[in-house]
Amino acid sequence: MAGPPHQGPTFIPLPDYREYPPDEMLSRARAFREQAERRRTVRSFSDREIPEGVLEECLRAAGTAPSGANLQPWHFVVVRDPARKAAIRAAAEEEERLFYRERAPKEWLDALAPLGTDENKPFLEAAPCLIAVFVQRYGTAAGGARVKHYYAVESTGLATGILITALHNAGLATLTHTPSPMDFLNDLLDRPESERPFLVLVVGYPSEDAVVPDISRKPLERFTTEFGAG
Ligand code: IYR
């Protein structure tokens, strides 16, 4: 049976590409790298409010991520309401208690030991904002038919990476939190069955006494290989 006629692509000139001279390219790359290196995952947040408009700009940046067939299969729920944050904390801590006491194999707990994490998640209430990220496993067309999404998890990961980078660039700290399982987020945040929670991003200013684990990043040689010319 023939499907609906496919609309062909429309092309426009590349709207806003900027080329930089090589020395400027290198200084921009270095400046960005230095900035990226200053990011640390923080687990202790101040209750200071995030300045008006900042989150929205960072979310718009996240929405520029490349995605499978450009279907943009992500949804971000911004939670500032104290009652809803408290409900998320209570549900997350219940799952985490089971995780740390029963579900997690010793190998996993050993891997987490250097981070000093445990079942208590006070940051879920202390921070001014939580952003729950959902993957849309499939979309819904105007008539209600299911629209298949491609690489939905990968695409949402890319969008989330841009969001974290944008928030860091704006001077905000983040924590990527993944209570496991986290399907309680659908109920608490009124998201449909077609969406699966991806992670909770805790966002705010770090508390004045914030400390981070003394851990390091792999040097370039340990996470890259190269096939050079000739
Ligand atoms: N979800 C738990 C455990 C945890 C798992 C990983 I992988 C981490 O990098 C950090 C924590 C928690 O949030 O404590």
Side-chain angles (χ1 to χ4, degrees), residues 42-47 79-96 118-132 174-182 184-185 188-189 199-204:
V42 161
R43 289 189 168 78
S44 175
F45 288 83
S46 152
D47 61 3
V79 185
R80 303 185 220 230
D81 168 43
R84 223 165 274 241
K85 284 193 294 176
I88 291 173
R89 177 185 178 180
E93 286 184 335
E94 200 175 312
E95 297 294 1
E96 296 289 284
D118 61 28
E119 63 204 43
N120 300 307
K121 306 297 175 191
F123 47 75
L124 291 173
E125 276 187 280
C129 173
L130 310 177
I131 303 178
T174 58
L175 164 60
T176 39
H177 178 49
T178 49
S180 160
M182 53 182 156
F184 63 83
L185 289 168
L188 291 180
L189 301 175
L199 57 74
V200 176
L201 201 61
V202 185
V203 186

Side-chain angles (χ1 to χ4, degrees), residues 182-195:
M182 53 182 156
D183 23 296
F184 63 83
L185 289 168
N186 286 73
D187 290 338
L188 291 180
L189 301 175
D190 305 327
R191 298 312 303 166
E193 182 275 339
S194 54
E195 296 184 3

